[in-house]
Amino acid sequence: MKFEFDPETRRALGYKLIDHINDYFSSLPDRPVQPPAEERSFRKLTETMPDFESDAATVLDDICHELIERGFHVPAANYFGLMNPAPTYMAVLAEALVATLNPQLASVARSPLASRIETETVRWIGNRVGWAVPFSGTFTSGGNEANFSALALALGWKFPGVVEQGVATIGGAPVFYASSEAHHSIDKSAGLLGIGRQALRRIAANDLAQLDPGQLESQIQLDLAAGCRPFCVVATAGTTNSGTIDDIVALAGICRRYDLWLHVDGAYGIATIFSDRHRHLVKGIELADSLTIDPHKWLSMPFAAGIVLTSHPELLEPTFAIVTPYMPRAPQTEVVDYYKIGAQWTRRMNSLKLWLTLRVHGRLAYEELIEKQLQLAGLLRDWVVGSESFELAAPQVLPVVNFCVKAPGLREAELAAANAGVVEAVTRDGQRWLSLTHVRGKSVIRAMIISYLTEKRHLDGLLRALERAGREVALPAAR
Ligand SMILES: Cc1ncc(COP(=O)(O)O)c(C=O)c1O
C-alpha cells in the first residue's frame, strides 16, 4: 500500500522532523518574527496537484525549510502580538500522539480512555473556577465555538422551545448584551443561531473600557418596555483589544434581577484562575452560568483548544444531543459521549496537550508564567507613562498594553496615521511584531506579552525600537 513506510524509514522521517522542530525551538528566543518587509514575497500557488510520488525526506526538508525560513513566527519571543502563544513542547508531542492514535471523542465507546482524560481535564479547570454547584463542559475548536455554544445554552434556557421549534416560538425579539469591546464572535454567533446579529445590544464601554452596568440596566429596561425578550449578558474577562475585565459581580447582580443568563467570555483572561495570586482579577467568575476559556491563548497550547463550561450541566443534552442508530453506545458512566454535549460531531482530542503539560509541569508553572508576564507588562506600561513620544490609551490590567502617539490636538485620522507609522517602523525589519487596533473608538498601538519565551531583554529590544520610532515618527507628528 502506497501510504506505508518500512519501520526504518518511519524512524528516519520522524527523527528528521524532530530535528527540525528541536532546532526551531532552540531558535525561538532570537528568531525574527518574519522576514524583512522587502523580502516578504511568496511563490505563486500555481502548482497542480501531484499525481505521482516524491521522495518523502526531500519533501519534508523542503517544506520545513520554507515554513521556517520564510514564515511568520507566532511562537517567537519577540512576538508582542495578538492572543496566540508559543506552544509548550509537551503540547507539541501530545499533538503528534493524538494524530497517531486518532481517538474519536464523539463517543465514549470508541475512546474510553481518551474521553476520560478529556473529562478529567475539564474537571480540573472547572474546579479552579470554584463553582459550588455541579458543572460540565467540553473542549471546542476555540473561543468562537465556545461562545456560540454558550449562547445556544442561554437561548435554550430562557426559551425552551427554540431547539426543536425554532426562534419563532419566542414570541418577541430575543435580545442580549455585551460591551462595545466584546469579541465579534458574539455577533457571528447571533447570526448563526438565527436570532440575528441585531439581537446583540452593544453597550458603550466606560472610561475603564468595561461594560457599563448602569447603561446596561437602562437598555434592559428600554428593551423590556418595547416588548423585546432579553435573555443573556456577555461579560468579557480579557477583551481582545485592551485585556479589560468587566465587573463580573455587578453584571451577575443585574442578571439575577432580570433573570438573565450570565456568560463570561474569558477566552484569554480566565487563565488567571490558574494563579492563586491573581485569580482575584476575575472575581465573581463562579457566578457565571457559562464560561469560555481558550487554552490556545494564555495557557500556551497550540491551536486548537477552547473550552466551554456551564454550571447548568442538565441543559447540555437538551441543547446538543441527537439520537442516531449508528453511534455505538457505552454503559452510562461519569464520562459522556461528547457529540451529545457539544456543537461538533467527530471530535479531535484537544485536551491531551493541556493534560500532558499539566502532568509534566504542574499548575504552578502557569502561576509563574502569569506573574512574569504581568510584571513585564507593568514595565512596558511604566515606560510608556514616562515616555516623551507616547501615552497610555487604556488602563493596563492583563499583559496587554494600549498606547498611542502623544500629540495633543491631533485629529483621529492623524493619530491613526501616526500610530500606524510607528508600528510600520518597528515591524519593518521583521525582528519583532506588535499591532494596531481601536479601543473605545480610538486608534491605539497594542503590545502584548504572550510568548512564555519573552524575557526582559526582548522587552528592552522593543522599547529601544519604539524609542527610535518615537523620534522618527511620533515626535514629528506631534509638532
Ligand atoms: C475575548 C475573545 N473571545 C473569543 C475569541 C475567539 O476565539 P478563537 O479565535 O479561539 O475562536 C477571541 C479571539 O481572539 C477573543 O479575544
Side-chain angles (χ1 to χ4, degrees):
M1 173 62 213
K2 283 279 192 188
F3 296 131
E4 288 174 9
F5 291 112
D6 62 66
E8 261 324 299
T9 309
R10 273 201 305 267
R11 279 167 67 89
L13 289 173
Y15 286 140
K16 180 179 276 302
L17 180 61
I18 279 292
D19 283 342
H20 281 297
I21 291 174
N22 187 37
D23 289 347
Y24 181 68
F25 262 80
S26 301
S27 75
L28 286 173
D30 295 302
R31 175 173 284 284
V33 173
Q34 59 180 331
E38 59 280 8
E39 291 173 28
R40 279 174 220 155
S41 59
F42 304 98
R43 69 180 163 83
K44 292 239 177 314
L45 298 176
T46 49
E47 280 184 29
T48 51
M49 185 192 284
D51 279 336
F52 303 106
E53 66 186 8
S54 301
D55 177 61
T58 310
V59 173
L60 202 52
D61 274 340
D62 286 352
I63 192 63
C64 285
H65 182 78
E66 184 168 359
L67 283 172
I68 292 175
E69 296 314 322
R70 314 227 0 104
F72 184 106
H73 299 291
V74 161
N78 277 311
Y79 177 71
F80 296 95
L82 298 176
M83 294 167 167
N84 318 134
T88 69
Y89 191 66
M90 290 316 298
V92 172
L93 297 185
E95 291 290 74
L97 189 56
V98 168
T100 305
L101 302 173
N102 211 17
Q104 168 53 294
L105 260 76
S107 68
V108 179
R110 285 170 297 163
S111 58
L113 281 173
S115 282
R116 288 184 81 77
I117 289 174
E118 180 127 341
T119 303
E120 183 167 59
T121 318
V122 167
R123 180 169 52 75
W124 284 350
I125 293 173
N127 284 342
R128 292 294 303 174
V129 171
W131 271 315
V133 292
F135 62 85
S136 184
T138 169
F139 271 71
T140 63
S141 56
N144 188 59
E145 183 194 332
N147 283 340
F148 173 83
S149 306
L151 287 174
L153 286 169
L155 204 58
W157 166 78
K158 189 73 176 182
F159 312 116
V162 291
V163 176
E164 294 299 333
Q165 283 125 31
V167 291
T169 56
I170 293 175
V175 289
F176 70 113
Y177 308 88
S179 95
S180 50
E181 294 294 319
H183 192 260
H184 290 90
S185 53
I186 312 280
D187 307 65
K188 192 165 171 167
S189 298
L192 295 174
L193 284 165
I195 58 174
R197 292 184 180 186
Q198 288 177 14
L200 172 58
R201 305 284 201 241
R202 283 196 176 259
I203 309 294
N206 62 20
D207 290 347
L208 299 173
Q210 293 174 317
L211 198 163
D212 187 296
Q215 289 210 37
L216 169 65
E217 199 155 1
S218 307
Q219 185 63 49
I220 294 171
Q221 287 168 359
L222 280 176
D223 285 333
L224 286 170
C228 297
R229 305 289 311 276
F231 70 97
C232 175
V233 173
V234 178
T236 307
T239 57
T240 317
N241 293 320
S242 61
T244 302
I245 299 173
D246 288 337
D247 184 341
I248 300 170
V249 175
L251 300 182
I254 293 174
C255 286
R256 297 300 166 258
R257 271 204 295 292
Y258 292 90
D259 197 26
L260 305 177
W261 180 280
L262 176 64
H263 174 61
V264 180
D265 176 3
Y268 169 56
I270 288 185
T272 49
I273 61 175
F274 277 66
S275 161
D276 286 341
R277 173 135 191 251
H278 295 292
R279 61 170 300 137
H280 68 91
L281 289 169
V282 290
K283 185 161 162 252
I285 197 89
E286 69 289 351
L287 303 170
D289 297 292
S290 56
L291 300 172
T292 288
I293 172 169
D294 265 4
H296 68 202
K297 292 190 164 58
W298 209 347
L299 298 181
S300 301
M301 291 296 109
F303 315 128
I307 299 174
V308 59
L309 293 174
T310 178
S311 54
H312 301 269
E314 73 288 355
L315 292 179
L316 284 165
E317 291 208 14
T319 308
F320 296 107
I322 200 119
V323 177
T324 78
Y326 77 89
M327 287 297 253
R329 281 158 224 264
Q332 203 70 32
T333 65
E334 61 191 326
V335 183
V336 290
D337 288 329
Y338 277 108
Y339 83 99
K340 292 183 184 157
I341 67 162
Q344 296 181 33
W345 199 280
T346 285
R347 276 285 319 275
R348 186 175 191 281
M349 188 184 191
N350 281 336
S351 51
L352 186 66
K353 50 197 167 195
L354 182 57
W355 186 91
L356 205 58
T357 299
L358 280 165
R359 282 306 299 259
V360 170
H361 299 288
R363 175 188 63 82
L364 290 176
Y366 284 113
E367 180 140 357
E368 240 177 69
L369 173 73
I370 290 164
E371 180 66 38
K372 176 175 100 170
Q373 296 193 332
L374 279 166
Q375 281 186 15
L376 288 174
L379 293 177
L380 172 54
R381 177 206 54 217
D382 292 347
W383 179 86
V384 171
V385 169
S387 153
E388 248 189 275
S389 313
F390 301 104
E391 62 189 2
L392 267 193
Q396 176 260 322
V397 185
L398 296 178
V400 181
V401 182
N402 294 146
F403 54 102
C404 58
V405 167
K406 193 196 282 187
L410 276 196
R411 281 176 306 181
E412 175 55 27
E414 293 165 331
L415 178 68
N419 287 342
V422 168
V423 168
E424 162 61 18
V426 171
T427 56
R428 196 182 302 132
D429 67 2
Q431 290 295 322
R432 48 189 67 79
W433 198 83
L434 78 177
S435 62
L436 288 165
T437 187
H438 284 83
V439 173
R440 300 178 70 227
K442 203 174 146 209
S443 162
V444 302
I445 301 169
R446 180 186 181 288
M448 175 170 193
I449 316 291
I450 182 72
S451 170
Y452 63 84
L453 297 165
T454 304
E455 303 288 349
K456 171 96 173 24
R457 72 180 173 96
H458 303 104
L459 181 63
D460 288 342
L462 175 68
L463 299 187
R464 280 194 299 276
L466 279 169
E467 209 158 291
R468 264 195 313 276
R471 277 196 305 275
E472 287 165 18
V473 182
L475 289 179
R479 286 190 193 113

